Structure formats: C-alpha cells, structure tokens
Amino acid sequence: MSDLDVLLESFRRNARVNQAVLTALTPEDFALSDGRGGWTIERHLRHLAGFRVGWLWNMTPEHARPLLDETRRDADGDPQWRWQDSPPADLGEALTAGDEAAVRAVQAHLASGEPFADPWNEGTYRSSPAHFLVHTIVHDSHHRGQIMALLRLGGRSKEQMDALEEHWAIWRE
C-alpha cells in the first residue's frame, strides 16, 4: 500500500468516526454547551463541515462548488455553503460531501503537480496537497474531543460514554 493509499484509508476511517459520533447524538444533544459561552455540539459539527468548504473555496474553488449554493451570496459576494441553514441532522451529509470534495481536490492537485492556490500567503500545504487531508483528520479529532466532553458534561452515563469510545476500534482495523 502506498503512503497515499494509507492516507486515503485514514481519511475514510475519520469519516466513519464522524458518522459514529453523529449517529450517537440525540436531537437534544445538538444544543449542549459548557454553559460558559462555549460552542454547542451543533456549532462544533457545523465548524467541522464548514472547515472543508472554507479551505477548498480559498485553495481550489472548482472543487468547492458542489458544496456551495450559487443562488445565495454572503457579504463578500461569495456563494454560501449549501448547509448554511440546514437542520443539524443534515450535517452528516455535509461532512460526506465535504470529504468527497477534499479527496477529489487533493487527487487532482497531486496528479497535476499544481499546488493549491494561496490567496492570502498563509501557506496552503506547500509540501504536498495531501497534508490538507491530514489537517482535516487532526482538526476533526480536536473538535470530536470537545463534543465528547460536552456529552459528558451533559449527563451521559459512564456506560454511554464507554459505548461512544468504541469508535477507537475503527482506527485499529
């Protein structure tokens, strides 16, 4: 298996972990927060999904287009994210679409040898476009940890939290 194959498999596993967490959530869970001004679970999930389209729009707009609603524009005149006002239950679809767009973008840029655009000179995975997928996995993991903490704070039992932790088995396959 090549390094890219391992990375793509890891990215697919990350998607499965996201799906496992989403499946475990109740409608009430989306509103859980720390009670101190922190993000709700819904906000964390929107941020996970929006992360993909935000970076893609800046680096490779053609790959972001399937994630956008061209009929709605933001204050800058850019098309809005398709899931901007969607119910929280639709965020799994947003994550799946974002993952597919990210993989297509990385594969296209690897095949062409063309780097991602860097409109703000902030660095866009200059050593390899594949690092965008790594960054996405790490970013998702960070926010999933916060979601897990909010579920614990929200009253999930030890048994329920242990069941949620079973998603680690996906990484050991």
Side-chain angles (χ1 to χ4, degrees):
M1 215 192 261
S2 74
D3 290 345
L4 182 58
D5 290 334
V6 171
L7 175 56
L8 291 170
E9 175 58 27
S10 297
F11 196 71
R12 286 189 286 274
R13 289 180 189 204
N14 183 69
R16 289 174 48 209
V17 173
N18 284 339
Q19 187 56 50
V21 171
L22 280 165
T23 300
L25 297 176
T26 67
E28 296 76 28
D29 289 335
F30 290 107
L32 288 175
S33 77
D34 64 5
R36 297 179 176 174
W39 288 2
T40 63
I41 287 178
E42 178 181 352
R43 179 68 181 102
H44 282 286
L45 291 168
R46 283 190 188 283
H47 178 71
L48 257 67
F51 171 88
R52 290 148 170 80
V53 70
W55 275 96
L56 289 171
W57 179 245
N58 290 318
M59 299 183 311
T60 178
E62 65 273 18
H63 291 99
R65 293 226 182 268
L67 308 174
L68 300 169
D69 179 352
E70 296 285 346
T71 67
R72 298 175 62 207
R73 301 286 172 162
D74 65 17
D76 295 326
D78 293 326
Q80 286 190 348
W81 183 44
R82 283 183 29 208
W83 290 271
Q84 188 73 28
D85 300 315
S86 69
D90 291 350
L91 292 173
E93 177 188 342
L95 284 163
T96 297
D99 284 351
E100 290 169 0
V103 168
R104 280 192 303 274
V106 166
Q107 289 176 324
H109 283 265
L110 286 172
S112 72
E114 186 71 27
F116 285 133
D118 192 4
W120 293 292
N121 287 329
E122 59 187 8
T124 52
Y125 315 101
R126 288 183 192 126
S127 61
S128 172
H131 284 124
F132 176 55
L133 301 181
V134 175
H135 184 181
T136 303
I137 292 168
V138 172
H139 180 261
D140 286 4
S141 298
H142 165 71
H143 286 283
R144 280 194 309 263
Q146 292 173 312
I147 289 168
M148 296 292 281
L150 290 172
L151 290 170
R152 190 173 294 109
L153 284 170
R156 290 281 174 108
S157 69
K158 179 184 178 341
E159 294 76 25
Q160 290 170 319
M161 293 305 297
D162 287 348
L164 273 169
E165 292 288 341
E166 287 299 313
H167 72 265
W168 283 107
I170 291 169
W171 294 109
R172 294 187 300 269
E173 292 174 351

